[in-house]
Structure formats: structure tokens, C-alpha cells
Amino acid sequence: MADEDIFSADAIEKGRRLFTRAWTFSRGTPDLDHLPPDDRPEIAFAGRSNVGKSSLINALVGQLRLARASNTPGRTQELNFFTDPNDELYLVDMPGYGFAEAPKDKVAAWNKVLRTYLAGRRTLLRVFLLIDARHGLKPVDDEIMALLDGAAVSYQVVLTKVDKISKTDLEKVSENTRKVLAKHPAAFPQILLTSSEKALGFEDLRATIAQLLEAHGS
Ligand code: GTP
Ligand code: MG
């Protein structure tokens, strides 16, 4: 579900095919010394703790237990790399930022890893910045957007958990988000809307990723 209809039937079909492949866990690393070799493009999923990054990856690939999701914020503690069987693309599940309950030194160390990865990974095709549709953009999201703008890394906002809010509220938060994004040079203007719980919005997300991959290869 995008905020407007922009995908051709062909793009939707390419996206569908990309994600019927059997995606598998490749590796997890808590630091930057153990990243996989940068031999293929990557798409990373970033966002505050508990916004639904791991759940979204599972819904995207149609495998309920590929990434570990949990009710407890701070669940994902490593950069987790998932690969398709043709070794064409990595999907990267990131630990959440803005998790206030973790020990301070741990948060600081994490922030450094996340920021260095996001700003410096050569093969990063796009970052999907997940925002809980009920809460909208928070100051900590602005910091990440500024970092990505500064590093000229393309990013796109995905509003998650849309099953949890009314249509009117969703329209309001989409409009507000759009206004903010217009001021950010590296932000892709189109917003995607998803519910991992209700499997909504994944045709468009899959089509977006398939298009990015195609544009990269051509
Ligand atoms: P961290 O790894 O801690 O940063 O969290 P995360 O962003 O990976 O979130 P995760 O996928 O673990 O989901 C957090 C909680 O939100 C879980 O209880 C999920 O079941 C719930 N959740 C995720 N997506 C949705 C959704 O689309 N709708 C609803 N209603 N709940 C969702
Ligand atoms: Mg997670």
C-alpha cells in the first residue's frame, strides 16, 4: 500500500517473484569488523526499537520466523544479514535506536555501530526507515535522517502497524510525514504503508525493492 498507486503490473510481478525465493539467514554481527564482504547490494531496515523491523522482514519474505521479532523492545541486538539463494541482495535487520532502557554505555556503543554502518556502507542501495504510524516521526528519527542526508544515502519511510490506527489518523500522519520529508534531500518522497500483522502493503514494498535491484543491475 503506497500513498498513491504507482506500480505497474510488471513491477508487482517482479517483486512477487523476488520474494518467493527461499531467503535465509546469512550472518549476524554486533560490530563492524564482522560484516559480510560488500559483494552485493544491500537494503537495510532501520527504525526505533519496537517499530516492527523484524516483523516486516518476515512478512516481506513470507517466512514467519526468519528474523526474530518480539514484544520486548531491544530484541534485535545485531546487524542481521539475510540473503536470497542467488546471492543477489542482502536484507539487513538492524537493532532499533532510541531504546532508552538499555545501559547507557551499551546504547552509545550501538549508536556508533548503527551510524557508522548507515553512513559508510558502500553497497547500501536504500535504507527503509520504519516509523510506527501511531507515533509518527520523533526527534531521534530526525537525527538518523540528517545522518543519511549528510552521507547521501537514499532512504524511504515506511509507516508500520497501520492496522492499529484509523484511516483519518493515517492520512494525517502521512501528510505530516510527507511535509517533513520534503525538506530532506536524500529522502525518497513516496511513503509506504504496511501492516505485517494483516499482510498489507507488501506488494508495493516488494515492487520497490525489485525496481531498485533492477536499476542497480542495469
Ligand atoms: P527491535 O528489534 O527491538 O528494535 O524491534 P523491531 O523493530 O524489530 O520490532 P518487532 O518486529 O520485534 O515487533 C515489535 C512488536 O510489534 C511485536 O510485538 C510485533 O508483533 C508487533 N508488530 C510488528 N508489526 C506489527 C504490525 O504490523 N501490526 C501490529 N498490530 N503489531 C505489529
Ligand atoms: Mg527487531
Side-chain angles (χ1 to χ4, degrees):
M1 194 159 50
D3 49 347
E4 51 197 306
D5 262 346
I6 58 155
F7 295 101
S8 64
D10 180 53
I12 298 277
E13 176 56 19
K14 283 185 175 142
R16 191 191 65 75
R17 264 188 272 137
L18 180 59
F19 289 99
T20 50
R21 294 182 190 172
W23 288 76
T24 50
F25 175 70
S26 178
R27 81 165 74 169
T29 172
D31 57 52
L32 298 169
D33 301 329
H34 300 90
L35 295 175
D38 51 359
D39 59 357
R40 69 193 80 169
E42 276 169 34
I43 303 256
F45 297 87
R48 295 170 67 226
S49 231
N50 211 45
V51 292
K53 298 173 294 295
S54 303
S55 305
L56 179 128
I57 289 178
N58 289 337
L60 180 66
V61 300
Q63 300 179 42
L64 281 185
R65 274 179 211 85
L66 187 63
R68 267 189 239 153
S70 152
N71 222 339
T72 319
R75 182 68 188 89
T76 308
Q77 306 210 339
E78 299 196 321
L79 288 168
N80 285 322
F81 289 76
F82 301 97
T83 185
D84 71 304
N86 302 351
D87 294 339
E88 271 188 76
L89 178 69
Y90 279 126
L91 301 175
V92 188
D93 188 11
M94 299 187 71
Y97 50 76
F99 179 42
E101 280 155 57
K104 269 210 176 103
D105 53 340
K106 208 173 168 189
V107 172
W110 259 118
N111 271 330
K112 190 152 182 261
V113 170
L114 297 189
R115 286 166 169 266
T116 311
Y117 168 79
L118 284 174
R121 183 70 164 170
R122 191 182 63 85
T123 44
L124 203 46
L125 265 192
R126 180 163 295 175
V127 175
F128 286 100
L129 188 62
L130 275 57
I131 307 290
D132 189 320
R134 295 169 298 176
H135 309 312
L137 289 165
K138 298 281 183 192
V140 65
D141 299 311
D142 289 334
E143 283 175 31
I144 296 293
M145 292 197 290
L147 174 89
L148 294 168
D149 289 329
V153 174
S154 160
Y155 58 97
Q156 180 167 9
V157 164
V158 179
L159 294 178
T160 62
K161 308 193 188 184
V162 302
D163 57 287
K164 293 246 195 183
I165 66 166
S166 70
K167 199 162 175 272
T168 322
D169 286 345
L170 184 56
E171 275 162 18
K172 265 188 223 152
V173 74
S174 303
E175 194 46 40
N176 288 341
T177 309
R178 224 188 319 273
K179 274 190 199 141
V180 175
L181 292 180
K183 295 181 203 139
H184 287 272
F188 192 73
Q190 188 202 14
I191 300 170
L192 294 168
L193 312 174
T194 60
S195 164
S196 303
E197 187 91 3
K198 304 268 188 250
L200 290 173
F202 287 92
E203 276 199 343
D204 288 352
L205 181 57
R206 291 182 189 122
T208 302
I209 295 173
Q211 277 181 345
L212 282 168
L213 196 57
E214 197 170 63
H216 172 80
S218 58

